[in-house]
Amino acid sequence: MVRAAVLPAVGAPLEITEIQLPDPGPGQVRVRLAAAGVCHSDLSLSDGTMRVPVPAVLGHEGAGTVVSVGEGVTGLAPGAGVVLNWAPACGNCHACSLGEVWLCANALSGSADVYARSADGTDLHPGLNVAAFAEETVVPVSCTLPLPDGIPLTDAALLGCAVLTGYGAVHHSAQVRPGETVAVFGVGGVGLSALQAARIAGASTIVAVDVSPEKEELARAAGATEYVVASENTARQIRALTGKQGVDVAVECVGRAVTIRTAWESTRRGGRTTVVGIGGKDQKVTFNALELFHWGRTLSGCVYGNSDPARDLPVLAEHVRAGRLDLGSLVTERIALEGIPAAFDNMLAGKGGRALIVF
């Protein structure tokens, strides 16, 4: 029995309770969590914006230590540190054949599996495959990545989603070049990662945008050279900061129609907007045909930072070891499992960066 945060039904409060976790089967690994980040995607799963079989144990950004391995698992032994990979590529679908592993058609198929049971015997699903909101979890070996040398296990949890997504949005999707100007909308865990990534990429002007004035210090510490409190004048303010041109690149980490539209309007003619935030079906973004032609801007979606975790994790680790990427600065609150609901409330209120569950 281990303690976990269970989502009993969509829209229902999380329940902190004990669950029955089996020994790992063939091809599986049991992991004792060191830490797990509370991501906006977990909130989107709990409120039904994104669908997941329920009841489920949420949490997809985590790192921990291997406790035991099932039959056929090689290359991992008890005591090894791992980062959880919530979106393992199958290697066989059309997207994988194109090298676009972040779009793998089968990446989330494990979320429909039964991986544990509640104390009364109810079947439980692993939200986004890895069920990191628990003291321990059992996952396919494909959902683990070796802990890079020199990275503290607790900090490494952030590599599993926020950093891969924010860094990837800047380097893979938007492909920011040295000297370009960048605006990042939303200063949460992903936004802070994107700001650091823009600095690493050599961006000249880096504008952070958020509804909260209190996040300015966080944003500037991450690399922002300018800070704008979101309003109806945001696009005009950003153009004023960039010689009336607009930024070369806007990275939207919120997932709201008004923010996406503002990010697009904040870019120069021919600029690029990358949408990272996950919005609901009711969030409609509209453009007219003439403005699409005239501005020549590019608007693109971005899944998991268009990242390949196996390829990108060693790169991120080298940035951490070299002091270019500061994982600890993303965390504004360290909590226990019982603190997840309050962390959700803070996200809805636009407060803080990343909340990190430390076990």
Side-chain angles (χ1 to χ4, degrees), residues 221-311:
T225 61
E226 309 289 345
Y227 192 81
V228 172
V229 178
S231 71
E232 60 183 14
N233 296 316
T234 295
R236 186 178 297 112
Q237 288 178 269
I238 291 175
R239 287 195 295 272
L241 292 168
T242 52
K244 299 184 179 180
Q245 296 300 309
V247 290
D248 297 299
V249 171
V251 180
E252 198 274 357
C253 304
V254 180
R256 295 182 63 233
V258 64
T259 316
I260 295 169
R261 175 74 203 199
T262 302
W264 187 81
E265 291 176 352
S266 298
T267 63
R268 64 170 175 82
R269 197 174 185 190
R272 314 185 299 280
T273 298
T274 290
V275 179
V276 181
I278 300 172
K281 293 180 180 179
D282 61 327
Q283 295 293 312
K284 306 293 185 181
V285 188
T286 59
F287 307 90
N288 66 61
L290 181 59
E291 65 179 333
L292 290 174
F293 160 77
H294 173 75
W295 288 103
R297 294 163 171 153
T298 300
L299 178 69
S300 61
C302 177
V303 177
Y304 204 4
N306 292 9
S307 294
D308 177 347
R311 175 199 66 197

Side-chain angles (χ1 to χ4, degrees), residues 76-148:
L76 273 184
V82 293
V83 177
L84 297 181
N85 176 16
W86 62 271
C90 71
N92 299 313
C93 70
H94 182 63
C96 286
S97 73
L98 297 174
E100 298 173 350
V101 297
W102 53 91
L103 298 179
C104 174
N106 303 306
L108 297 180
S109 60
S111 294
D113 295 341
V114 172
Y115 95 111
R117 288 181 171 80
S118 64
D120 64 5
T122 302
D123 290 344
L124 298 175
H125 302 280
L128 292 187
N129 287 326
V130 297
F133 286 173
E135 294 171 328
E136 296 185 11
T137 188
V138 173
V139 298
V141 69
S142 61
C143 286
T144 64
L145 296 163
L147 176 71

Side-chain angles (χ1 to χ4, degrees), residues 32-97:
R32 179 178 298 114
L33 272 296
V38 182
C39 178
H40 205 283
S41 296
D42 298 309
L43 178 59
S44 296
L45 291 169
S46 71
D47 67 15
T49 299
M50 297 168 61
R51 293 293 180 182
V52 65
V54 289
V57 176
L58 301 183
H60 61 282
E61 180 183 87
T65 304
V66 174
V67 175
S68 56
V69 301
E71 180 183 348
V73 174
T74 59
L76 273 184
V82 293
V83 177
L84 297 181
N85 176 16
W86 62 271
C90 71
N92 299 313
C93 70
H94 182 63
C96 286
S97 73

